[in-house]
Amino acid sequence: MVTVRGEIDAVNVDRVGDCLRRFLLGDQPLVLDITDVSHFAGAGFALLQTFDEDCRRAGVEWTLVAGGNVIEQLVAGDGDAVFPMAGSVPEAFGDLADAVVYRRRLALPLIKKTA
């Protein structure tokens, strides 16, 4: 889990982005908690878009947990979230754990037993 607090704006967006990329380790899922971000400028949205692309390229599943002031900026006109989102950190971990269990169930028939 990575937690970002304070402001995300044009002044610090590159530094925040560099920090986030350090946590893209192998195929370990990641929860990005920005519930305590007090200011989320357009640069923050661009940061999340880039981070989403980086995660896709690296094959890393991630979930965003955001506060109400940020969520309004991250929901599309049809009400769907632009990024994978959860309502809380525990919910995000539960969603990621459920995804792992689901993938394992899909893989089980592919594994053959040998005697």
Side-chain angles (χ1 to χ4, degrees), residues 12-51:
N12 66 1
V13 72
D14 291 333
R15 188 174 67 202
V16 173
D18 291 343
C19 180
L20 290 178
R21 280 187 284 285
R22 286 189 230 154
F23 290 94
L24 296 178
L25 305 171
D27 61 352
Q28 294 298 312
L30 181 91
V31 173
L32 176 57
D33 178 8
I34 60 170
T35 54
D36 290 331
V37 168
S38 58
H39 178 72
F40 187 81
F45 186 78
L47 167 75
L48 293 180
Q49 286 179 315
T50 301
F51 184 69

Side-chain angles (χ1 to χ4, degrees), residues 71-82:
I71 289 174
E72 293 174 359
Q73 299 176 48
L74 300 178
V75 176
D78 57 4
D80 288 337
V82 177

Side-chain angles (χ1 to χ4, degrees), residues 77-89:
D78 57 4
D80 288 337
V82 177
F83 304 107
M85 294 182 71
S88 67
V89 171

